[in-house]
Amino acid sequence: MDLLARPAEDPADSRTYLLNEKTAQRYRSAVTESVTRIGAKIAGTTRPFTGITADDLAPAVMGVDLDAPLHDAAAALDELEEVYLRDAVYFHHPRYLAHLNCPVVIPALVGEAVLSAVNSSLDTWDQSAGGTLIERRLIDWTAERIGLGEAADGIFTSGGSQSNLQAMLLARDEACRRALTAAGVPSSELGAPPPSRRTDVLPRLRILTSECSHFSIRKSATLLGMGPEAVITVPVDEHKRMRTDSLAAELARCHRDGLIPMAVVATAGTTDFGSIDPLPEIAGLCAGYGTWMHVDAAYGCGLLVSRRRALLTGIELADSVTVDYHKSFFQPVSSSAVLVRDRATLQHVTYHADYLNPRRMAEARIPNQVDKALQTTRRFDALKLWLTLRIMGARAVGELFDDVIDRAAEAWKLLHDDPRFSVVVEPRLSTLVFRYVPGTDQDPELGDRVNLHAREALSASGDAIVAGTVVDGRHHLKFTLLNPETTVEDIATVLDLIAEHAGTFLAEQPRPALSAR
């Protein structure tokens, strides 16, 4: 009998698809078949993308009849090749240079296979047991690496945006608690959920963050009932780092205007530039104003295991920190965490349900992770990092991250010395923002069109993928290097391809446009 197919003699028995002691052999065969195919696909991939458009691929996906099951894993994998695998974007390819997507390490994939099959839910002890303790140990390990102190704690999340959201929620409720206490509200009215009198405080709350910080900060303000206008944008210097003189001025202005600076968000690795804000100076200002300091280290957290750890000096002074292991720790999506200096602040997300985590469990010191999380049901994503550390070790992860930072430095020199391009800033991490320069006599609008076209044409070719962004109102290109296998030769080839596509575009423009000033 084909172990991948439903037994023909019993087509109505849906139980044959459940993983249990009766179907373990079928599970092994199905997973082995899928892993074999993916392994062959990875080994045979010659470019990061096919260049297919959404319009071209949509008919194949929409044409699948989801009410007509194939009853055969091999047939389903054949179909998957047509609707997904053939045209997927492969981050492991050395010429994928676009977003903060990393190739993944094999130990983490072992963890992914285990956690998917066992399917623990990390919300309560009675659903996860050892999984709870493993996640807690990894939070402690990360907090130790950061230097947050013995009272630190945290929780794994779905990604940096959720980690930032939870940090801002904690900062908001701490600011409300302090403001209401100062207004004479009795302590008995300050518990969770926050009192309705908090609405008097919300309009006065402000979040200060640099103009290069992640958009999730502004989104978090909206989700938390404060509105995007609650976010004060602080200018950056020529290295794209938050200007502490401007931060000091904004904090002073908030104080004069009766506003409450509930949080300052410093970034350790901005998405566009990889810039690291001056953390010690920011921490000093936050301490002076009694303001929560959050460090978004979603990208820069790899420095915790790097020989460049000193670049994060000052992160140990934060009240909360975001880390994305699925960026610079080379973990599969998703694997993120938010950590706090004082575990008591996590009470702002603690709610008790009689069916799940009644108060008596906390009194009995039963470790329920849902007491710290925004989510209830959560995957055991921590297992991927656990097996990564146990098999290859933190030093090996750090060496991989150091490799991509070294490569970015080499790429910056290529760009800096190439008259075809202008590069915005020398990188601290592994991103490079640059612009193809069509010539000194070209107008900026034409330059925008050239760079947009070059990126789109390169993606359509499938030969490489680069990102794009806007700097000072002008379209730029961006390399995000997270693959240690990417070489200087790969980067030089991609630059030549960009120039070739740009040159083709320029050659097709009417002559008056070419001579415009």
Side-chain angles (χ1 to χ4, degrees):
M1 182 184 74
D2 183 356
L3 292 170
L4 301 181
R6 173 189 281 187
E9 64 273 15
D10 192 9
D13 189 0
S14 299
R15 292 186 179 88
T16 60
Y17 293 114
L18 292 174
L19 174 57
N20 53 41
E21 73 282 1
K22 301 174 185 176
T23 58
Q25 178 56 41
R26 188 177 182 198
Y27 159 74
R28 284 193 291 267
S29 298
V31 171
T32 298
E33 169 73 9
S34 63
V35 169
T36 298
R37 291 195 185 208
I38 294 300
K41 191 72 181 179
I42 295 292
T45 298
T46 59
R47 53 183 180 162
F49 186 42
T50 63
I52 197 168
T53 66
D55 288 342
D56 288 338
L57 184 57
V61 177
M62 299 305 294
V64 173
D65 186 353
L66 294 177
D67 292 314
L70 299 171
H71 299 308
D72 181 76
L77 289 170
D78 288 340
E79 180 183 83
L80 192 65
E81 169 70 20
E82 300 301 314
V83 298
Y84 173 59
L85 294 175
R86 181 191 61 202
D87 301 301
V89 178
Y90 287 97
F91 303 147
H92 76 281
H93 194 279
R95 293 183 187 171
Y96 176 85
L97 304 170
H99 303 288
L100 281 166
N101 306 120
C102 59
V104 295
V105 293
I106 294 172
L109 294 176
V110 175
E112 187 74 62
V114 174
L115 73 91
S116 296
V118 180
N119 200 33
S120 297
S121 181
L122 267 287
D123 41 335
T124 58
W125 168 259
D126 63 357
Q127 298 178 74
S128 61
T132 294
L133 301 182
I134 286 173
E135 178 173 281
R136 288 190 168 207
R137 179 67 187 94
L138 286 169
I139 288 294
D140 289 344
W141 177 84
T142 305
E144 290 165 7
R145 288 273 172 165
I146 295 172
L148 290 177
E150 294 183 359
D153 203 351
I155 196 77
F156 270 66
T157 70
S158 66
S161 292
Q162 184 183 335
S163 293
N164 286 341
L165 172 63
Q166 181 159 347
M168 291 302 96
L169 184 153
L170 302 179
R172 180 199 67 180
D173 286 359
E174 281 293 294
C176 286
R177 181 186 61 79
R178 289 193 300 269
L180 292 171
T181 298
V185 175
S187 59
S188 59
E189 298 182 22
L190 298 177
S196 58
R197 294 173 69 173
R198 186 181 68 184
T199 56
D200 297 332
V201 179
L202 282 178
R204 297 164 55 205
L205 296 181
R206 294 295 182 269
I207 301 171
L208 295 89
T209 190
S210 93
E211 60 185 274
C212 293
S213 66
H214 196 261
F215 71 89
S216 61
I217 302 303
R218 193 171 297 274
K219 179 184 282 190
S220 294
T222 300
L223 293 174
L224 295 173
M226 299 158 56
E229 64 276 5
V231 178
I232 297 174
T233 300
V234 180
V236 295
D237 61 20
E238 67 274 17
H239 302 294
K240 306 302 180 183
R241 305 165 75 230
M242 185 190 292
R243 288 180 48 181
T244 52
D245 59 339
S246 297
L247 175 62
E250 289 292 351
L251 286 167
R253 184 179 65 83
C254 287
H255 183 70
R256 289 194 307 271
D257 294 348
L259 302 173
I260 302 172
M262 78 172 212
V264 172
V265 178
T267 309
T270 57
T271 304
D272 272 348
F273 304 102
S275 48
I276 300 173
D277 289 334
L279 304 180
E281 294 87 344
I282 292 171
L285 288 169
C286 288
Y289 282 89
T291 298
W292 182 285
M293 177 183 174
H294 175 64
V295 177
D296 179 0
Y299 176 13
C301 63
L303 294 171
L304 293 172
V305 292
S306 158
R307 67 175 186 267
R308 296 174 168 89
R309 172 62 177 82
L311 291 176
L312 289 181
T313 297
I315 195 172
E316 70 278 1
L317 303 172
D319 293 288
S320 58
V321 177
T322 287
V323 296
D324 269 8
Y325 307 107
H326 59 229
K327 289 185 173 68
S328 46
F329 274 70
F330 305 94
Q331 299 294 291
V333 174
S334 59
S335 184
S336 179
V338 60
L339 297 101
V340 295
R341 166 177 300 283
D342 182 1
R343 63 173 59 94
T345 59
L346 291 170
Q347 68 183 330
H348 294 299
V349 296
T350 303
Y351 291 79
H352 294 283
D354 289 337
Y355 76 94
L356 187 70
N357 63 328
R359 291 183 184 276
R360 58 180 171 79
M361 286 189 172
E363 295 166 358
R365 299 180 64 188
I366 296 174
N368 290 326
Q369 294 292 81
V370 71
D371 295 348
K372 312 172 188 178
L374 295 183
Q375 297 169 259
T376 303
T377 302
R378 283 188 309 112
R379 300 177 82 236
F380 186 19
D381 286 316
L383 182 61
K384 296 176 287 192
L385 179 60
W386 178 271
L387 286 180
T388 297
L389 296 178
R390 298 308 302 138
I391 294 173
M392 63 184 286
R395 178 181 294 182
V397 174
E399 289 172 351
L400 294 177
F401 193 46
D402 279 325
D403 284 346
V404 296
I405 297 175
D406 290 341
R407 199 74 64 250
E410 296 168 337
W412 177 82
K413 189 174 188 312
L414 278 181
L415 282 161
H416 183 267
D417 295 343
D418 192 330
R420 300 174 299 178
F421 300 96
S422 64
V423 60
V424 176
V425 65
E426 186 172 359
R428 297 302 298 273
L429 296 180
S430 62
T431 55
L432 289 149
V433 177
F434 61 99
R435 181 173 164 93
Y436 178 81
V437 181
T440 57
D441 61 341
Q442 306 300 336
D443 64 89
E445 287 76 14
L446 178 59
D448 284 348
R449 296 197 301 273
V450 168
N451 281 275
L452 286 170
H453 171 83
R455 182 192 175 202
E456 293 167 0
L458 183 64
S459 178
S461 75
D463 293 328
I465 303 181
V466 302
T469 190
V470 175
V471 181
D472 297 330
R474 293 299 171 199
H475 290 285
H476 284 65
L477 304 174
K478 184 174 72 168
F479 286 161
T480 304
L481 305 177
L482 276 181
N483 190 344
E485 294 296 320
T486 299
T487 65
V488 175
E489 289 73 22
D490 286 315
I491 295 166
T493 298
V494 174
L495 291 176
D496 287 341
L497 289 170
I498 291 170
E500 180 180 331
H501 289 300
T504 300
F505 176 83
L506 288 170
E508 294 172 351
Q509 301 308 299
R511 187 171 298 276
L514 286 174
S515 61
R517 293 183 181 271

